[in-house]
Amino acid sequence: MEDDSQLKLYATVATRLKEAHRAVRALQVPEGVRKALIRKLLVITAAAKHDLPDAARRLDRLMKDLSEGRFPEGD
């Protein structure tokens, strides 16, 4: 069984991923940019299954970019 700190990190990342998806949906950006952001969130979700600390770092970086208005290029 996983230790408490690992379980807490899972819960934290899961909550933050839900918040990130909500934030992306609320953005007023072109559809291509929204799709690129959703792809990033899906990659982070997949990474969480194998390397939770790395997924948490990626999510931190993505949320920082969003808060600073830095968005990926759309299709």
Side-chain angles (χ1 to χ4, degrees):
M1 182 160 188
E2 299 182 46
D3 62 26
D4 283 344
S5 64
Q6 187 77 358
L7 291 175
K8 287 178 185 176
L9 185 55
Y10 271 118
T12 300
V13 170
T15 299
R16 293 188 62 232
L17 277 168
K18 286 169 57 174
E19 292 168 356
H21 277 278
R22 195 174 303 120
V24 168
R25 278 194 309 270
L27 289 174
Q28 299 295 319
V29 294
E31 191 61 27
V33 172
R34 186 178 320 284
K35 286 180 181 180
L37 289 167
I38 290 170
R39 279 193 299 272
K40 284 181 175 267
L41 287 170
L42 291 174
V43 167
I44 292 168
T45 301
K49 296 175 185 176
H50 306 286
D51 188 347
L52 191 58
D54 180 55
R57 284 188 295 275
R58 289 179 181 204
L59 185 55
D60 286 342
R61 193 169 37 243
L62 176 64
M63 295 308 291
K64 183 174 189 262
D65 287 347
L66 290 180
S67 71
E68 294 176 357
R70 289 193 305 263
F71 305 115
E73 301 260 336
D75 293 347

